[in-house]
Amino acid sequence: MSGLVPETMQKVAHAAVGPRQGDKLKDLAHSTKDMTAEGRLTTDYGVKQSTADDWLKVVTKDQTGPMLLEDPFARERIMRFDHERIPERVVHARGSGAFGKFKVFDSIQDLTIAPVLTDTSRETPVFVRFSTVLGSRGSADTVRDVRGFAVKFYTQEGNWDIVGNDIPVFFIQDAIKFPDIIHAGKPEPHNEVPQAQSAHNNFWDFQFNHSEATHMFMWTMSDRGIPRSYRMMQGFGVNTYTLVNAKGERHFVKFTWTPELGVHSLVWDEALKLAGQDPDFHRKDLWEAIASGAFPKWKFGIQAIPEADEHKFDFDILDATKVWPEDLVPTRYIGEMELNRNVDEFFTQTEQIAFCTSHVVPGIGFSDDPLLVGRNFSYFDTQISRLGINFQELPINRPVCPVMNFNRDGAMRHAITRGTVNYWPNRFEACPPATHEEGAYVEYAQKVAGIKARMRSNKFKEHFSQAQLFWNSMSPIEKQHIIKALSFELDHCEDLLVYTRMIQRLADIDLNLAQTVAVAVGGESPKEGRSNPGRRAPALSQHEFPGKPTIQARRVAILIADGYDQVAYDAAYAALSSAMATPLVVGPKRSKITAANGANSTQPHHHLEGLRSTMVDALLIPGGTQSIETLSKNGRALHWVREAFGHLKVIGATGEAIGFVEKAISLPSVVVSSDGEAKDSYGVVTVKELRPESLKEVVEIAKGATGFMEKFFYEIAQHRCWERELAGLSDAVAY
Ligand code: HEM
C-alpha cells in the first residue's frame, strides 16, 4: 500500500468535523501535547538536556574511555526504554481504532430509559477498536479469523461498551470454556506454530470435540472471516442484553452494526498474499479513509424480545451460539455511527483503551446468558494485569461525566481527591449514593428460581439446526468459498483423526458439503448425513448487504509505461479523483513516464514490484502503442492483470490496452470491444475508441449504463465479479 495520507490532509478532515459539545476530544485535550520546534528536549523530571546523542564518558579526541554510570540522562533514557512494553491483550491483540460519534434517530423510549438510545438531539462520542482474535500484536491483518468490533460510548451517564465481533454467534455457550477455545486456536504450545491461523490440528480438534462450535466455524469459514475492510463489516454484540423502560418493563435485545458501504470480503488467495505483501492492509485502509474524509458509517440496529416471550422459540435466546432469525425477530435500525478522526498516538489510545462488557448505563442491563456473565468478570480482571488497577483513569478510558467514589490508591493513581473521609456513610454525608431520580443504576428486580448445578438446560444441547440454517442461506458463490476454506484448513491438519472426524461432522450440516470436502482433503466420504429441513434466513448471507453504490476510498491502479495515451489517462484520473476514489499510477519504474504525445509526463506513485495487484480494488490500463508494447513484454505486468482477473477484480482497458488484456488472460469467453461501443464482459470493461462522452469527469454509478467510465465505475462499486468465478474463468488463469 502507498504511504499514508499526509498529516495536513488529516487536519483538514478533522477540521471539517469541528468541535462538539461534550466531545471526548475536548476531554483528551487536557492530556495531549504537541511536539514543536519551540519546545526543548528535557528529562522526564523536566530538566533540559544538552544532547540526546552521547552518553557521558571519559573521552579525548583520540581515545574512547569508559562510559560513566553517573549519567542520569542516559540512564533514564535506557531504563525508560527497557520498560516500554506492556502485556499485549490475551486475545484480540492485533487491532486498530478511531474516534467518532453516535446518534440515535429513532428513539426507543418504548424499550429503555437510556438517553443514548432515546434522545435524538444527542451526539455521543465513541471510540471503536477493530481487531483479529488469534494473532499477536505484530501479526497480519488479513488472516482468516473473527474480527473484533468494540465500541465505547462516552455517554453523559457513564461509559457504555458494546464489545462485539463481525460474526453474530460464538464458538462456546459457557464462559468456562473460553480458555480452552483460545488455547486451541492460538499457536500450538510445543512450538508456537502457527501464528494467527485456525488451520491447524488443535483448532479443529476443539471444533470436533465441541459440537456447539459448529454454527460459528461455518461463519469463520465463510467470507466473513476475510473482510475487505473494517469499514465493510457488520458488527454484532453477540450476547443477549436487556433494556428496561420507564414502566419497568424488560426486553431481551441483541445489537447490530450494518455498514453503509455494505459487507464485502477479500478472496482467499488475495488474503494469503496480502498477509506477506502488506500485513497492515486493514489498519492502513481505515486510517487512509478517515484521513481523506471518506468517513465510514454504520447503522445501529436492535432486535428486541419482550420478557414474557423468552421461552417461545425453539432455541434458547440466551444461547450465544444462536442467531435470532429476522423472520422471527426483525432488526429495527435506530441510530447511526460515523468514524471521523484517527488517533493521535497509537499506544495511549488504541492500545490503552480498555473495553469491559460490564460497562452499562441505566436502562441497559445484562441477561443470564452464561457467556456474557463470564465476560463481565473477565474483561475487568484482565485490564488489571494489562494496564493496572487504575486503568479507568487513563485519558482514553475516563468517562466524560463526573467520577466520584471511595475507591482509592493502587499503582499509578492519578486523581487527587480532597477531603478527610474515604468511606460511606460518613459524618459529612460526603459523596452519597444517587437516587433513581438522580440517575442511579438500579438493577431490574428479576425473579430467580432454580437449583445449583453444573449443567445446561435442554435447548442449549441442540447444536446443528442453525449451522444448517446458515449453510442453506448462503448464495452459491458463498457455498463454494466455504468448501474451499474448509478444504484449505483441513489440508493443514496432518493428524488423520482430526480431519476425518471433521468431515464426519460436516455431514451433520450437509451431506454434499461433507462429501465434496472429503474428496479435496482425502478423508473417508460419509454415506449418510443429518436430515436438513432446508430452512433459510436470507439476512445471514453477506450478499444481502451490498451497501450504497460508491467507489469512494477504493484504490484503482492505472498501469502505464512510456508512450501511454494521455487523453484516456487524464480522463480516468480526473473521474476517479472526483468520485473520491484513490487513483494509484503504476509503471515499470517510479521515475518519470512520458506520454505518447511527448509533451506530457507523469511520475507514478509506484513501480510494478512495489505495489501489487492485491493492494488495489481495480485496474485500469489506458492505450498507447509504445506503452502497451512495453507492458506486454513485462512478466510482472502480465501477472498484474492475471492476478487481478483471478481475484475477480474489475479490469478496464482502452485502445491498444485491450490486446494486452487479451494476451494476459487468453480466454475467448471474455468478449472485448472492437469499436466505440464499451463492452463489459465478466467485469472486463473495454472500449476500443474513446468517445467524448467517456471523458466525463463526473460519472454516475448506475446499472445498465452505456459509457466506458460508467460501466467501469459500476463494476468497481459491485466490488467483485462473482460471475467470473461461477463460470470457472478465474480458475482457468494462472496467477
Ligand atoms: C460473545 C463472545 C465474545 C465476543 C464478541 C468477544 C469480543 C472481544 C473483543 C472485540 C475484544 C477486543 C476488545 C478490544 O478491542 O480491546 C475482546 C477481548 C477480550 N475478550 Fe472477548 N469476546 C467474547 C468472548 C469472551 C469470553 C467468553 C471471554 C472470557 C470469559 C473473553 C475475554 C476477553 C479478554 C480477556 C479480552 C482481552 C481484553 C483486553 O485485554 O482489553 N471474551 N473480546
Side-chain angles (χ1 to χ4, degrees):
M1 224 181 235
S2 71
L4 300 178
V5 175
E7 179 65 7
T8 41
M9 266 186 83
Q10 232 204 105
K11 288 211 168 110
V12 174
H14 294 167
V17 177
R20 291 181 301 267
Q21 201 62 31
D23 200 321
K24 178 66 184 167
L25 299 179
K26 269 194 193 160
D27 167 66
L28 289 178
H30 302 302
S31 318
T32 309
K33 50 189 173 185
D34 284 317
M35 281 270 178
T36 63
E38 287 70 46
R40 288 293 172 267
L41 183 74
T42 75
T43 59
D44 279 343
Y45 50 92
V47 172
K48 289 186 184 134
Q49 275 184 269
S50 65
T51 175
D53 302 329
D54 292 303
W55 195 305
L56 192 65
K57 56 178 91 68
V58 181
V59 63
T60 68
K61 275 193 192 149
D62 310 315
Q63 176 80 35
T64 302
M67 297 199 340
L68 301 175
L69 200 57
E70 74 176 56
D71 183 346
F73 301 159
R75 286 203 323 268
E76 183 191 91
R77 283 168 67 87
I78 299 297
M79 292 171 73
R80 189 59 195 71
F81 170 78
D82 290 344
H83 299 273
E84 256 177 31
R85 293 284 170 272
I86 61 167
E88 66 174 33
R89 287 170 176 82
V90 61
V91 280
H92 295 261
R94 169 93 186 158
S96 56
F99 293 95
K101 59 181 182 181
F102 172 78
K103 208 163 180 186
V104 64
F105 53 71
D106 175 14
S107 166
I108 51 166
Q109 252 175 0
D110 51 325
L111 300 177
T112 181
I113 54 165
V116 61
L117 298 178
T118 59
D119 182 351
T120 52
S121 67
R122 216 191 240 208
E123 199 175 284
T124 302
V126 296
F127 188 93
V128 178
R129 182 175 179 271
F130 303 106
S131 50
T132 52
V133 180
L134 294 177
S136 53
R137 251 191 85 177
S139 56
D141 282 346
T142 59
V143 296
R144 180 176 293 285
D145 198 353
V146 182
R147 296 300 183 286
F149 192 127
V151 183
K152 189 180 282 293
F153 300 75
Y154 301 95
T155 87
Q156 288 163 34
E157 291 74 36
N159 288 352
W160 173 35
D161 297 351
I162 301 184
V163 199
N165 283 338
D166 74 328
I167 288 176
V169 288
F170 204 62
F171 290 110
I172 49 168
Q173 297 171 320
D174 185 317
I176 201 168
K177 298 299 309 169
F178 193 68
D180 290 325
I181 170 66
I182 297 303
H183 285 170
K186 285 252 186 193
E188 297 190 358
H190 56 302
N191 58 4
E192 270 244 342
V193 173
Q195 177 59 243
Q197 302 286 321
S198 51
H200 61 102
N201 286 324
N202 285 2
F203 177 83
W204 287 104
D205 188 30
F206 180 95
Q207 302 304 311
F208 179 78
N209 282 305
H210 296 79
S211 49
E212 71 205 66
T214 308
H215 187 194
M216 172 82 162
F217 82 63
M218 288 298 282
W219 281 82
T220 59
M221 291 303 110
S222 78
D223 291 342
R224 307 267 187 166
I226 45 169
R228 158 64 183 83
S229 160
Y230 291 140
R231 300 176 292 133
M232 298 166 198
M233 306 187 311
Q234 280 186 300
F236 302 94
V238 181
N239 292 115
T240 300
Y241 290 84
T242 53
L243 295 177
V244 178
N245 64 18
K247 289 190 225 152
E249 295 159 343
R250 190 166 81 137
H251 283 76
F252 295 98
V253 282
K254 285 209 187 258
F255 301 119
T256 304
W257 301 102
T258 294
E260 181 189 49
L261 294 175
V263 184
H264 301 284
S265 296
L266 297 168
V267 298
W268 180 230
D269 182 70
E270 185 188 18
L272 279 177
K273 289 173 175 168
L274 276 171
Q277 291 170 349
D278 193 359
D280 306 304
F281 187 75
H282 286 149
R283 180 174 286 191
K284 287 196 223 166
D285 169 273
L286 181 68
W287 182 281
E288 288 182 3
I290 293 174
S292 63
F295 300 143
K297 294 190 181 70
W298 285 262
K299 288 256 179 300
F300 180 65
I302 59 162
Q303 288 176 290
I305 296 175
E307 192 174 35
D309 294 349
E310 178 179 356
H311 300 293
K312 288 197 176 155
F313 301 88
D314 59 4
F315 55 90
D316 196 312
I317 65 165
L318 305 183
D319 174 359
T321 67
K322 305 289 194 309
V323 291
W324 298 356
E326 295 230 20
D327 56 338
L328 305 178
V329 192
T331 299
R332 174 173 165 191
Y333 284 98
I334 60 162
E336 188 175 74
M337 175 172 76
E338 172 188 280
L339 295 184
N340 51 29
R341 194 182 203 285
N342 282 318
V343 297
D344 289 307
E345 191 182 21
F346 188 91
F347 180 81
T348 47
Q349 299 182 323
T350 309
E351 194 60 16
Q352 288 199 323
I353 193 148
F355 296 96
C356 297
T357 51
S358 51
H359 292 167
V360 288
V361 293
I364 303 171
F366 311 118
S367 71
D368 291 329
D369 171 343
L371 196 67
L372 176 60
V373 178
R375 294 182 75 196
N376 287 344
F377 171 78
S378 177
Y379 288 81
F380 190 94
D381 181 51
T382 196
Q383 306 306 358
I384 297 172
S385 63
R386 194 168 73 84
L387 300 167
I389 188 65
N390 283 306
F391 71 91
Q392 313 262 31
E393 280 193 299
L394 291 169
I396 192 66
N397 293 324
R398 67 185 174 219
V400 291
C401 61
V403 173
M404 181 57 71
N405 57 42
F406 302 104
N407 296 335
R408 286 292 187 276
D409 307 349
M412 310 307 286
R413 175 70 168 172
H414 280 49
I416 302 164
T417 317
R418 287 204 202 126
T420 57
V421 289
N422 53 4
Y423 53 87
W424 176 262
N426 60 64
R427 61 193 181 283
F428 308 111
E429 305 244 317
C431 193
T435 60
H436 189 35
E437 292 67 39
E438 288 169 331
Y441 190 100
V442 180
E443 275 73 20
Y444 176 73
Q446 184 189 345
K447 196 166 157 195
V448 181
I451 47 157
K452 271 193 212 168
R454 293 188 185 275
M455 58 178 267
R456 299 185 193 184
S457 54
N458 281 339
K459 283 185 190 168
F460 273 71
K461 293 178 186 149
E462 195 288 302
H463 298 151
F464 301 118
S465 65
Q466 289 213 349
Q468 293 182 328
L469 179 74
F470 179 73
W471 172 252
N472 298 342
S473 309
M474 293 293 100
S475 64
I477 200 73
E478 287 174 301
K479 284 189 173 168
Q480 258 190 47
H481 291 173
I482 292 172
I483 291 169
K484 284 185 179 171
L486 284 163
S487 303
F488 178 94
E489 296 270 318
L490 297 182
D491 183 66
H492 282 245
C493 301
E494 315 82 53
D495 193 328
L496 179 73
L497 184 71
V498 171
Y499 65 83
T500 49
R501 290 208 304 199
M502 270 315 298
I503 289 166
Q504 299 308 313
R505 172 56 39 78
L506 294 179
D508 282 320
I509 304 165
D510 184 86
L511 184 60
N512 189 35
L513 164 71
Q515 289 171 337
T516 315
V517 174
V519 172
V521 173
E524 196 189 323
S525 194
K527 306 276 173 301
E528 276 175 50
R530 184 177 296 268
S531 81
N532 180 339
R535 247 193 93 210
R536 295 182 69 248
L540 302 185
S541 162
Q542 70 178 60
H543 292 178
E544 290 292 307
F545 304 94
K548 82 169 186 193
T550 174
I551 68 164
Q552 251 190 35
R554 301 284 162 77
R555 298 160 66 88
V556 182
I558 307 180
L559 228 59
I560 55 168
D562 283 323
Y564 65 92
D565 174 353
Q566 179 75 33
V567 176
Y569 169 86
D570 281 349
Y573 201 97
L576 286 166
S577 306
S578 83
M580 280 180 79
T582 309
L584 291 167
V585 183
V586 188
K589 54 183 181 178
R590 199 158 77 160
S591 44
K592 261 194 190 144
I593 294 190
T594 311
N597 61 16
N600 297 78
S601 65
T602 188
Q603 175 152 15
H605 298 100
H606 294 281
H607 57 67
L608 283 164
E609 293 295 328
L611 192 86
R612 299 301 176 89
S613 87
T614 47
M615 302 171 190
V616 299
D617 294 288
L619 174 58
L620 187 118
I621 314 156
T625 316
Q626 191 200 339
S627 167
I628 294 306
E629 248 178 58
T630 308
L631 293 176
S632 300
K633 288 184 199 143
N634 183 320
R636 180 63 73 195
L638 288 162
H639 179 71
W640 253 78
V641 178
R642 287 183 190 140
E643 192 171 52
F645 187 84
H647 293 162
L648 315 172
K649 291 175 184 170
V650 184
I651 299 172
T654 63
E656 296 83 353
I658 297 174
F660 171 54
V661 171
E662 281 185 298
K663 176 178 171 183
I665 57 179
S666 303
L667 290 173
S669 40
V670 176
V671 181
V672 294
S673 161
S674 54
D675 49 26
E677 196 185 321
K679 283 257 160 18
D680 177 357
S681 172
Y682 294 105
V684 176
V685 184
T686 51
V687 68
K688 190 77 188 168
E689 298 144 20
L690 270 182
R691 289 183 181 151
E693 63 266 24
S694 291
L695 306 178
K696 283 190 290 199
E697 200 166 302
V698 177
V699 175
E700 238 174 74
I701 300 173
K703 199 176 179 173
T706 51
F708 168 75
M709 216 64 94
E710 281 90 345
K711 281 183 187 291
F712 183 57
F713 280 25
Y714 174 76
E715 286 291 352
I716 302 176
Q718 304 309 300
H719 276 259
R720 301 292 160 129
C721 179
W722 303 119
E723 295 76 29
R724 203 185 284 166
E725 189 178 5
L726 282 172
L729 299 181
S730 45
D731 283 345
V733 171
Y735 57 94

